[in-house]
Amino acid sequence: MQIYLPIAEVSVNVFLLVGLGGLVGILSGMFGVGGGFLMTPLLFMIGIPPAVAVATEANQIVASSFSGVLAHFRRKTVDFKMGGVLLIGGLVGAAIGVQVFKYLKSIGQVELLVTLTYVIFLGIIGSLMFIESLNAIRKSKKPNSVYKKKKHNWIHGLPFKTRFRTSNLYISVIPPILVGLLVGVLAAIMGVGGGFIMVPAMIYLLGMPTKVVVGTSLFQIIFVTAFTTIMHATQNFTVDAILALLLLLGGVIGAQIGARIGVKLKAEQLRILLAIMVLAMCGKLALDLLLMPSELYSIRAGGH
Amino acid sequence: MLRSLTLIFAVLATALTAQESVIVGLSQSHVAITANFSGSEILVFGAVKRDAPVPEDASPLDVIIVIEGPLEQVTVRRKEKVFGIWINTESVDIDNAPSFFAVATTGPLADILSQETQQQHAIGVHHAVRLPDHDLDPEMESFSEAISRVRLASGLYSEREGIITLRSETLFDTRIQLPANLVEGDYTAKIFLIRDQQIVGETNLDILVRKEGLERWIYNLAHEHALIYGLLSLLVALVAGYGASEIFRRLRS
């Protein structure tokens, strides 16, 4: 069954869109990532214009994140205080990111920089997570291994310390704000929620327990992507409501299933799966840059 | 979808030779893009009207039909290998590229009409993109050729030689496919009569391609009330997210 998308101006299969939404929704619910880093390139592949794909994806992430976060609300695995602090940084970062994006656009090559940012960040984060979770799985199998207690590093020497009860942390607000800021900037440039950067940053930089990380990440992604949706809708007119509706129909259901699968898996297994997926997408994008394309020319209607 | 057979007849009174003119009808002069639009087909049919019988020694008559979408500005980019990776190095803005271009003929285009005349009347996919006359460097041409090549591959441009059947040098008809990724705008159907590599008759008909119903409403809302549209999109997202969460919770208990 085909449907014509009013803003994207292409006709696509309804079930393909719902299916894609569902698949990415499952991942979203499992890992607490918005799934934008997977969905946006997938939408390019089925022929949705990039500008529409990026903007509509933001709207869809709002739905799947909201659906996912409700399950976490009930399990009380959302650290609202931490989420709020991250969000402050995130919104400031997103505003800066939009300006950086505009500047890159004015000097050309914005696509290359977006792809390179993807490859670099997906590569670094994917590899780090993969190695770390592999080590964690190995350690948990050894019977006499000593589990390291909380690490004390430079983060604990910073001022403005606050207690984050849900996360069981007593740290300065500066690192979460900086993490939020960095993720906000990258999210605006890459057109994603930024969960795949946020989740590892929360685990490894802030030392939050994995259980709380997913819900808290989803919580702040809702606000960042809602902000992005409004920006795209009012400035670029590129949010396609029909496309978003079909994607989120699959997405919200997927997120529910994903959240339940996530509970059943061990933290290390969850992390290693996410790492493999991040690395796979990184490899795909890197190949696109390295292999000679079959058509050297590309066309974009509407000029600049 | 609008499927009513609207017949539009146009008579060309001022044919070049004043001997042969063409009368054309279209199966639809109005194409509605609705939510379930998955492409369409236009039947172009017509007849040649003559004041006098065709002379015995006249060369055969040929018919060319061109359906063209609205002209738009496009940016064409070319990739090159720099430091081992493929990146866009050069880009060119081309002002007059039709969004859709379909050519149907009674025979091989090269035999029917000279290259010059083809170019002059924008007949044939390779002449679909109009370049400014003063700008004829080969670089520019390679970019405009890329538009034809990419759009031929995606089905937006097509060239079907010999697809039109001309009966007794008088009656002709052909079907032209409109793809699913059609853009709205004012389309033109041009019908040419050719004899001795010369255009002896020509007529133009308009085809209006419009979004309708839900498509029209969403498109207008998104452009005219962008903030409301954005907020509505968010609301739909939140309701859908909440709905799915509630349904699953009830299913479990």
Side-chain angles (χ1 to χ4, degrees), chain B residues 14-194:
Chain B
T14 54
L16 287 171
T17 58
Q19 281 183 339
E20 289 179 315
S21 58
V22 57
I23 306 164
V24 184
L26 299 173
S27 61
Q28 45 182 346
S29 62
H30 188 107
V31 178
I33 300 181
T34 51
N36 59 359
F37 180 79
S38 58
S40 188
E41 192 184 68
I42 285 192
L43 173 68
V44 185
F45 55 94
V48 180
K49 189 184 166 196
R50 289 188 183 86
D51 300 339
V54 184
E56 291 286 314
D57 57 343
S59 55
L61 185 75
D62 278 297
V63 178
I64 299 176
I65 297 171
V66 177
I67 294 189
E68 190 180 59
L71 296 177
E72 54 183 18
Q73 196 203 30
V74 297
T75 306
V76 187
R77 294 199 167 83
R78 183 168 60 198
K79 283 194 164 72
E80 260 170 54
K81 199 167 191 173
V82 181
F83 302 117
I85 56 172
W86 289 91
I87 62 172
N88 289 325
T89 49
E90 273 179 85
S91 78
V92 166
D93 288 344
I94 289 177
D95 288 331
N96 294 313
S99 66
F100 175 82
F101 198 86
V103 182
T105 68
T106 43
L109 206 51
D111 298 348
I112 301 175
L113 211 55
S114 70
Q115 280 291 327
E116 268 185 330
T117 322
Q118 283 183 34
Q119 192 173 357
Q120 202 183 336
H121 293 268
I123 298 169
V125 164
H126 297 286
H127 307 293
V129 179
R130 272 72 133 196
L131 289 176
D133 289 337
H134 55 86
D135 214 348
L136 283 174
D137 68 297
E139 272 293 275
M140 203 63 184
E141 266 175 53
S142 68
F143 278 92
S144 78
E145 274 166 23
I147 298 180
S148 305
R149 193 170 58 241
V150 170
R151 290 198 164 159
L152 264 173
S154 71
L156 282 171
Y157 288 10
S158 65
E159 196 170 277
R160 296 166 77 209
E161 294 175 321
I163 196 76
I164 305 176
T165 42
L166 180 65
R167 292 177 194 88
S168 314
E169 297 225 321
T170 306
L171 291 173
F172 62 87
D173 69 273
T174 192
R175 289 169 190 280
I176 290 180
Q177 301 291 331
L178 301 178
N181 52 344
L182 206 62
V183 174
E184 71 173 344
D186 297 349
Y187 288 57
T188 326
K190 295 180 202 162
I191 297 91
F192 299 95
L193 292 185
I194 316 287

